[in-house]
Amino acid sequence: MPVSDPAASPRSRARALYEARRTRTPIPPFTDDDPSLGMADGYAIQRELVPMLLDEGDRIVGYKVGLTSKAMQRMVGVDAPDHGPVLASTVYRDGDTLSLGDFIAPKVEAEIVFVMGERLAGPGVGPTDAARAVAGAAAAMEIVDSRIADWRIKLADTVADLASNGAVAVSSRLVPLAGLDTRLVGMTLTRNGQLLDTGAGAAALGDPLAVVAWLANVLGEHGVALEPGHLVMTGALHAAVPMAAGEVYRAEFDRLGPISIKVAP
């Protein structure tokens, strides 16, 4: 696609994603028209999209980090994670019911979420710094969704689409990190009582706290910090599972406890 084409601008592509979110109608991948698009192009689109969503009265309450497992990185063809903001309108509680109609093609992922206790800003942040700044860990379920048709995403597409965020349900139980090795936190995921998958914290970059450090350093390059109270979603511990109406998902985490959601039409 020629650079002079107005439809190729980051703002125009952000507007297309905004409308896809508003109407819940997916759009073709941007990389279909321009296979040369990469991570930097995706973030340029994301930076245009976020203010459009905040102008509606939403607010950023944290960040999600995606592609933290080797399996997901291989699937998309990258060797590093991506990130996007968590919006207040997308946060649910343990036991809440989510409507399938609020999404396009949702999938569920169980993961560990940290709540920041102190401000954390890169560069130079390591896992030990992250541990000191974190107030605690909680069980969570992320609902990933794609405004890109049929999940035909490449890296630029998912980055532009706020790292394919949909929603997140977070347990109210916040567990301090003292004596807790989040690498070793085991997890089982069930659907309507039937075991679907298992995982452990180490699936997320080898250490979920390394995810927090990575995020702080990347955000720090743009003068952004993780603030007290911010959620940090550290990435799926298993393969994402497509959701359907009538299902109940429950994840049981060692030490962190359970988290569950119900899916309505």
Side-chain angles (χ1 to χ4, degrees):
M1 179 180 291
V3 175
S4 59
D5 186 339
S9 73
R11 184 165 183 80
S12 295
R13 286 175 168 144
R15 175 59 62 179
L17 280 173
Y18 175 84
E19 289 299 328
R21 285 171 170 266
R22 187 180 66 82
T23 64
R24 299 183 183 89
T25 303
I27 59 176
F30 299 130
T31 51
D32 275 5
D33 286 332
D34 187 352
S36 72
L37 293 175
M39 181 175 282
D41 302 291
Y43 282 120
I45 298 167
Q46 185 185 122
R47 286 192 293 271
E48 295 286 349
L49 175 60
V50 171
M52 296 178 188
L53 300 171
L54 299 184
D55 283 347
E56 296 181 332
D58 220 329
R59 58 191 176 89
I60 294 173
V61 296
Y63 294 87
K64 68 154 290 185
V65 182
L67 306 178
T68 56
S69 72
K70 292 297 183 184
M72 287 301 295
Q73 289 179 6
R74 283 193 296 268
M75 186 184 83
V76 183
V78 298
D79 59 3
D82 67 350
H83 67 85
V86 176
L87 302 174
S89 63
T90 68
V91 179
Y92 292 81
R93 297 171 297 182
D94 180 24
D96 277 355
T97 298
L98 283 69
S99 173
L100 204 64
D102 289 340
F103 305 94
I104 294 175
K107 302 180 182 184
V108 66
E109 300 176 345
E111 59 190 81
I112 295 169
V113 165
F114 291 114
V115 178
M116 301 305 299
E118 300 175 7
R119 191 174 191 268
L120 186 65
V125 172
T128 302
D129 305 304
R132 285 195 293 263
V134 162
M141 279 191 191
E142 181 183 5
I143 293 80
V144 291
D145 197 16
S146 184
R147 275 54 60 171
I148 306 299
D150 304 320
W151 278 97
R152 291 190 296 113
I153 54 172
K154 293 183 180 177
L155 182 60
D157 302 305
T158 184
V159 170
D161 194 19
L162 306 192
S164 300
N165 77 341
V168 61
V170 182
S171 170
S172 60
R173 180 185 179 191
L174 188 64
V175 179
L177 296 192
L180 177 66
D181 188 339
T182 51
R183 299 173 301 175
L184 305 181
V185 171
M187 179 279 305
T188 60
L189 176 69
T190 60
R191 177 175 58 205
N192 296 339
Q194 298 297 310
L195 180 66
L196 286 179
D197 214 336
T198 62
L205 285 190
D207 181 352
L209 286 169
V211 177
V212 180
W214 176 89
L215 178 63
N217 288 326
V218 170
L219 292 178
E221 294 173 4
H222 302 280
V224 178
L226 295 171
E227 302 291 350
H230 269 169
L231 302 174
V232 178
M233 300 162 59
T234 59
L237 305 182
H238 61 94
V241 179
M243 296 166 56
E247 296 174 339
V248 177
Y249 286 91
R250 180 180 176 90
E252 295 265 4
F253 290 80
D254 178 40
R255 298 284 299 275
L256 303 183
I259 180 81
S260 65
I261 56 171
K262 303 172 185 176
V263 187

